[in-house]
Structure formats: structure tokens, C-alpha cells
């Protein structure tokens, strides 16, 4: 950090679900413990969360990534699963199954159900998703400003092989691909319905342009960060932002740490590697979104490939084993942004 450089007071993070929420918890820990060099102790975090995983089920609006961030930072998450409420019960799911109601493969826990009921009632009353999210956060007090990427309805679908279909494939909602199929079938392509007609939610563009640092955590680059970047106006806001933009690889040693990044990257023709994802995002100097990129130490050999794409790169430990380890990752991202 250059001597005399003012401390960072605003950090904006583009987040998906479990990986993004885990990173945010470590980032918040680092700010509280003052282990992030050059970041003020009272620095504010704004989260722009993916909403393309959202869907309607049993008449209720479910927002998995928003809820995972809210529950994780509000100490309500089931830490073993990484999603849903802790101390959950499943009586409603069992009763629906007894009635033969489908889909039976997607279950809403009894505690979690309350969140979806409140959200749906407020949406039905005419409130936009951004206002509803703010109201839900009043209970959870996540310690960040949580914004949906858009108030518009956007849903991710995945085309998969289907020999019984005349076309040889069929399209399923992302939740069916992930929850029912466990991402165990090839993803031929990803279709995000409504994305091209969506607009950033209130406060999103300002959070990206009036900030000291933009971070892309190790969330899925196709269906989490990728869909956020696909909202018209968001990529442009990042490209024009005066703040540095630093990303963290979700690929370690040629494999995703969690989730289905490998399947979806393969489906869109992106090399499954730390360097491949960096090049997919691209350098801001060449029309992409990155100034810097962190790879894991075991991928140190890929640093040169990333830097050849005009993206500053460092190799550091990237396993989010606890809040302190994750805060160290965040500190490395801050240092790279200030270099």
C-alpha cells in the first residue's frame, strides 16, 4: 500500500450461495479483527447476490442465494449442509409427500418455510424484491448491505441430454439440475430466462461505482457470478468503476472445491482451471472485469498464464477452512487490489 493512501471503507462483493457466503463471513471477520491491511475497522460491505437460482414452488418464492448469505451471516445456517436453517425439521415436506404433491425432490424445511411465506406475502403486496430482502434482513442482522442483483424475475435453466426427446435434449430448471440430478448429467448449455430484459436492483450500480474495492469470491463463474455479470448495466458499471476488481479462483488443482463449476464450465466451453476461469472473466484493460486474480498455491504454475492475459495474479492458500483462513484470503485480495 502506498504511504498516505486512505483506508478502504467500502467493499462490494458479487456473491452466489455457499462459497460466496463463506467468503463473506471470513471477510467480515477480517474487518472486525482488523487483519485486512489498509481496510478501515468500520468498513462497510455491500453484497450483490445472484437471484437467477430463484424459483417458485408450492406457490412460494424461494431465493436460495439471498437466503444462504442472510442465514450464514445471521448465524442461522445449517453449517453441516452449508444451506438452509439449523435445527431444521421437515414436517411440511412429509405432509406434502403424503398428499402426492410434486416436486417431492425439493423440500422446504419448516423453519425455512417461514422466510418464503413472508417473502411471498410481501411480493404479492407489491413490494420489490430489494425492499423485501431489506425487511427480511431486519431480523437476521447480517452485518452487510444485501442487495439482489435485480428485482426482475430471472431463472436459470440447463439443457441436458434426453434420448426420448425429438431434439435429443430437454431443458430443466437449475434447481432440478442441482437438487434432483445432482449435476451428474452433462450440461449442454445454460439458458438464463429473463436476464437480457432485467435491470440492476436499486443501489447495485452505485455499489459498484462508488466503492473502494470490488471482489468476486469463489462462487460459480457460470450460474452465480456469471449471471450477476449478465444483468444489463452491471458489467458496464464494473468496467467503469474507479475501484480495483479482484477475483478468487473457485477452481483448485483443476477441480471445483464445491458445487458444479466443472460441469457448467465444460458446458459453455471454458477450460476448467484457475487460469481458464480468469481468462473467461477477462482483464478490464481488454473489455473484461478483472484487475487481479488469486489462485491456490498448488496452481502457482498458472500465474504466468493469467498475467499473460493482463491480469495481476498471486498464488496463496485458498481453502476456506475457517474464518481466519478465509480472512487471510480476503487480505491477499485487498493487497493485490492496492498493489
Amino acid at each position: 500500500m502506498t504511504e498516505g493512501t486512505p483506508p478502504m471503507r467500502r467493499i462490494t462483493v458479487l456473491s452466489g450461495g455457499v462459497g460466496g457466503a463463506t467468503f463473506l463471513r471470513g471477510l467480515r471477520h477480517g474487518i472486525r479483527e482488523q487483519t485486512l491491511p489498509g481496510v478501515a475497522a468500520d468498513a462497510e460491505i455491500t453484497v450483490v447476490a445472484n437471484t437467477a437460482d430463484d424459483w417458485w414452488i408450492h406457490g412460494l418464492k424461494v431465493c436460495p442465494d439471498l437466503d444462504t448469505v442472510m442465514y450464514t451471516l445471521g448465524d442461522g445456517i445449517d453449517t453441516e449442509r452449508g444451506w438452509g436453517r439449523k435445527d431444521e425439521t421437515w414436517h411440511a415436506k412429509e405432509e406434502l409427500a403424503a398428499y402426492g404433491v410434486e416436486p417431492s425432490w425439493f423440500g422446504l424445511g419448516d423453519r425455512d418455510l417461514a422466510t418464503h411465506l413472508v417473502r411471498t406475502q410481501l411480493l404479492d403486496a407489491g413490494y420489490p424484491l430489494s425492499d423485501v430482502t431489506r425487511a427480511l434482513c431486519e431480523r437476521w442482522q447480517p452485518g452487510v448491505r444485501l442487495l439482489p442483483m435485480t428485482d426482475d424475475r430471472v431463472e436459470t435453466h440447463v439443457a441436458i441430454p434426453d434420448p426420448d426427446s425429438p431434439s435429443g435434449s430437454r431443458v430443466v430448471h437449475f434447481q432440478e439440475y442441482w437438487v434432483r440430478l445432482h449435476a451428474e448429467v452433462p450440461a449442454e448449455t445454460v439458458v438464463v430466462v429473463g436476464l437480457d430484459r432485467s435491470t440492476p436492483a436499486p443501489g447495485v450500480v452505485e455499489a459498484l461505482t462508488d466503492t473502494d474495492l470490488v471482489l468476486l469470491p469463489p462462487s460459480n463463474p457460470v450460474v452465480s457470478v456469471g449471471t450477476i455479470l449478465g444483468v444489463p448495466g452491471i458489467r458496464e458499471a464494473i468496467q467503469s468503476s474507479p475501484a480495483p476488481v479482484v477475483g478468487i479462483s473457485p477452481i483448485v488443482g483443476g477441480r471445483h472445491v464445491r458445487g458444479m463449476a466443472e460441469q457448467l464450465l465444460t458446458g459453455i466451453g471454458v477450460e476448467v482451471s484457475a487460469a481458464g476461469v480468469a481468462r473467461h472473466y477477462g482483464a478490464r484493460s481488454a473489455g473484461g472485469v478483472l484487475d487481479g486474480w488469486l489462485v491456490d498455491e498448488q496452481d502457482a504454475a498458472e500465474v504466468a498464464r493469467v498475467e499473460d492475459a493482463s491480469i495481476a495474479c498471486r498464488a496463496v492458500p485458498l481453502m476456506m477452512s475457517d474464518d481466519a483462513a478465509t480472512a487471510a484470503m480476503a487480505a491477499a485480495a485487498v493487497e493485490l487490489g492496492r498493489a
Side-chain angles (χ1 to χ4, degrees):
M1 182 178 71
T2 304
E3 186 176 351
T5 302
M8 292 183 177
R9 297 190 176 279
R10 293 161 297 182
I11 298 175
T12 300
V13 181
L14 275 57
S15 179
V18 178
T22 302
F23 176 80
L24 285 162
R25 191 173 59 202
L27 174 65
R28 190 184 61 180
H29 175 82
I31 292 174
R32 288 176 174 175
E33 297 298 317
Q34 299 184 46
T35 60
L36 306 186
V39 176
D42 60 350
E44 298 178 351
I45 302 171
T46 298
V47 181
V48 179
N50 170 50
T51 58
D53 292 3
D54 297 4
W55 76 322
W56 289 82
I57 179 172
H58 306 313
L60 300 176
K61 173 74 164 178
V62 177
C63 300
D65 286 0
L66 283 171
D67 290 347
T68 296
V69 171
M70 185 173 68
Y71 292 158
T72 298
L73 301 183
D75 195 30
I77 199 76
D78 183 318
T79 55
E80 292 187 7
R81 289 181 300 169
W83 56 271
R85 291 289 309 281
K86 63 182 178 182
D87 301 322
E88 188 60 278
T89 56
W90 303 92
H91 301 302
K93 178 179 182 293
E94 294 164 0
E95 288 299 309
L96 287 166
Y99 280 114
V101 176
E102 296 292 340
S104 57
W105 47 264
F106 190 96
L108 299 177
D110 301 326
R111 293 179 183 273
D112 195 30
L113 193 62
T115 297
H116 310 313
L117 285 165
V118 173
R119 176 187 290 118
T120 305
Q121 288 173 349
L122 291 172
L123 290 171
D124 287 346
Y127 294 98
L129 182 60
S130 49
D131 286 353
V132 173
T133 301
R134 184 166 57 249
L136 293 172
C137 285
E138 285 295 317
R139 174 189 177 186
W140 292 101
Q141 295 295 309
V144 302
R145 183 168 64 132
L146 180 58
L147 304 176
M149 67 185 196
T150 182
D151 282 337
D152 300 313
R153 183 171 180 173
V154 175
E155 293 184 3
T156 300
H157 292 73
V158 181
I160 61 173
D162 183 359
D164 296 327
S165 170
S167 66
S169 63
R170 65 186 176 97
V171 176
V172 299
H173 192 283
F174 172 78
Q175 294 300 335
E176 182 172 357
Y177 182 75
W178 178 227
V179 179
R180 187 175 77 84
L181 300 176
H182 307 292
E184 292 176 349
V185 298
E188 295 181 340
T189 189
V190 176
V191 180
V192 189
V193 179
L195 188 64
D196 59 340
R197 300 186 301 276
S198 64
T199 58
V204 168
V205 169
E206 293 80 4
L208 295 167
T209 56
D210 187 16
T211 187
D212 298 314
L213 178 66
V214 177
L215 295 175
L216 277 58
S219 294
N220 192 297
V222 181
V223 294
S224 291
V225 176
T227 49
I228 298 172
L229 293 174
V231 176
I234 287 184
R235 180 180 290 270
E236 294 79 4
I238 292 174
Q239 291 172 336
S240 66
S241 178
V245 183
V246 178
I248 300 166
S249 176
I251 303 297
V252 173
R255 300 293 305 273
H256 57 233
V257 178
R258 181 188 177 101
M260 73 215 79
E262 292 174 52
Q263 296 94 316
L264 298 181
L265 286 169
T266 300
I268 65 171
V270 174
E271 175 188 310
V272 182
S273 69
V277 175
R279 288 172 171 264
H280 170 64
Y281 284 138
R284 273 213 292 179
S285 61
V289 297
L290 291 178
D291 298 312
W293 185 245
L294 296 180
V295 302
D296 190 76
E297 289 177 315
Q298 65 181 283
D299 295 315
E302 297 195 40
V303 169
R305 292 184 59 211
V306 176
E307 293 186 331
D308 284 345
S310 301
I311 301 168
C313 187
R314 303 287 187 276
V316 300
L318 293 189
M319 291 295 101
M320 296 188 291
S321 54
D322 55 34
D323 287 348
T326 308
M329 285 172 47
V334 170
E335 291 174 340
L336 186 56
R338 303 207 76 149

